[in-house]
Coordinates of all heavy atoms in Angstrom, one line a residue:
M66 N -27.3 29.5 -3.6 CA -28.3 28.7 -4.1 C -29.3 29.5 -5.0 O -29.8 29.0 -6.0 CB -29.1 28.1 -3.0 CG -30.3 27.3 -3.3 SD -31.0 26.4 -1.9 CE -32.2 27.5 -1.4
I215 N -31.6 13.5 -0.7 CA -32.2 14.7 -0.8 C -33.6 14.5 -0.3 O -34.3 13.5 -0.7 CB -32.3 15.2 -2.3 CG1 -30.9 15.5 -2.8 CG2 -33.1 16.5 -2.4 CD1 -30.7 15.9 -4.2
C226 N -37.2 19.3 -0.1 CA -36.6 20.0 -1.3 C -37.7 20.8 -1.9 O -38.8 20.4 -2.1 CB -36.1 19.0 -2.2 SG -35.5 19.5 -3.8
H227 N -37.3 22.1 -2.4 CA -38.3 22.8 -3.2 C -37.9 22.8 -4.7 O -38.4 23.7 -5.5 CB -38.4 24.3 -2.7 CG -37.1 25.0 -2.5 ND1 -36.6 25.2 -1.3 CD2 -36.3 25.5 -3.4 CE1 -35.4 25.9 -1.5 NE2 -35.2 26.1 -2.8
Y228 N -37.0 21.9 -5.1 CA -36.7 21.6 -6.5 C -36.1 22.8 -7.3 O -36.5 23.0 -8.4 CB -38.0 21.1 -7.2 CG -38.5 19.8 -6.6 CD1 -39.8 19.6 -6.4 CD2 -37.6 18.8 -6.3 CE1 -40.3 18.4 -5.9 CE2 -38.1 17.6 -5.7 CZ -39.4 17.4 -5.6 OH -39.9 16.2 -5.0
C229 N -35.2 23.5 -6.6 CA -34.5 24.6 -7.3 C -33.3 24.0 -8.2 O -32.8 24.8 -9.0 CB -34.0 25.7 -6.4 SG -32.6 25.1 -5.4
G230 N -32.9 22.8 -7.9 CA -31.9 22.1 -8.8 C -30.5 22.6 -8.6 O -29.7 22.4 -9.4
Q231 N -30.2 23.3 -7.5 CA -28.8 23.8 -7.3 C -28.1 23.2 -6.1 O -27.4 23.9 -5.4 CB -29.0 25.3 -7.0 CG -29.6 26.1 -8.2 CD -29.0 25.9 -9.5 OE1 -27.8 25.6 -9.6 NE2 -29.7 26.0 -10.6
C232 N -28.2 21.9 -6.0 CA -27.6 21.2 -4.8 C -26.1 21.5 -4.7 O -25.6 21.5 -3.6 CB -27.9 19.7 -4.9 SG -29.6 19.3 -4.6
G235 N -24.8 24.3 -2.5 CA -25.1 24.2 -1.0 C -26.6 24.6 -0.8 O -27.0 25.7 -1.3
C236 N -27.3 23.7 -0.1 CA -28.7 24.0 0.1 C -28.9 24.9 1.3 O -28.6 24.5 2.4 CB -29.5 22.7 0.2 SG -31.2 22.9 0.4
R237 N -29.6 26.0 1.1 CA -29.8 26.9 2.2 C -30.8 26.4 3.2 O -30.8 26.9 4.3 CB -30.2 28.3 1.7 CG -29.1 29.1 1.2 CD -29.7 30.5 0.6 NE -28.5 31.3 0.3 CZ -28.3 32.5 0.8 NH1 -29.0 33.0 1.7 NH2 -27.2 33.1 0.4
V238 N -31.7 25.4 2.8 CA -32.7 25.0 3.7 C -32.4 23.6 4.2 O -33.2 22.9 4.9 CB -34.1 25.0 3.1 CG1 -34.5 26.4 2.6 CG2 -34.2 24.1 1.8
A240 N -32.2 20.7 2.8 CA -33.0 19.7 2.3 C -32.1 18.5 1.7 O -32.5 17.4 1.5 CB -33.9 20.1 1.2
N241 N -30.8 18.8 1.5 CA -29.9 17.8 1.0 C -28.9 17.5 2.1 O -28.7 18.2 3.1 CB -29.3 18.1 -0.3 CG -28.4 19.3 -0.3 OD1 -27.9 19.6 0.7 ND2 -28.2 19.9 -1.4
G359 N -36.7 20.2 -10.5 CA -36.3 19.0 -9.9 C -35.2 19.1 -8.9 O -34.7 20.2 -8.6
V360 N -34.7 18.0 -8.4 CA -33.6 18.1 -7.5 C -32.3 18.4 -8.2 O -32.3 18.3 -9.5 CB -33.4 16.8 -6.6 CG1 -34.7 16.4 -5.9 CG2 -33.0 15.6 -7.6
G361 N -31.2 18.7 -7.5 CA -30.0 19.0 -8.2 C -29.3 17.7 -8.5 O -28.2 17.4 -8.0
Ligands
SF4_626 S1 -32.7 21.1 -5.3 FE1 -33.7 20.8 -3.3 S2 -32.1 20.0 -2.0 FE2 -31.0 20.9 -3.8 S3 -30.5 23.0 -3.3 FE3 -32.6 23.1 -4.2 S4 -34.0 22.9 -2.4 FE4 -32.0 22.2 -1.7

Side-chain angles (χ1 to χ4, degrees):
M66 180 173 87
I215 295 172
C226 173
H227 55 254
Y228 298 136
C229 74
Q231 300 303 332
C232 287
C236 182
R237 281 179 174 240
V238 299
N241 63 24
V360 302

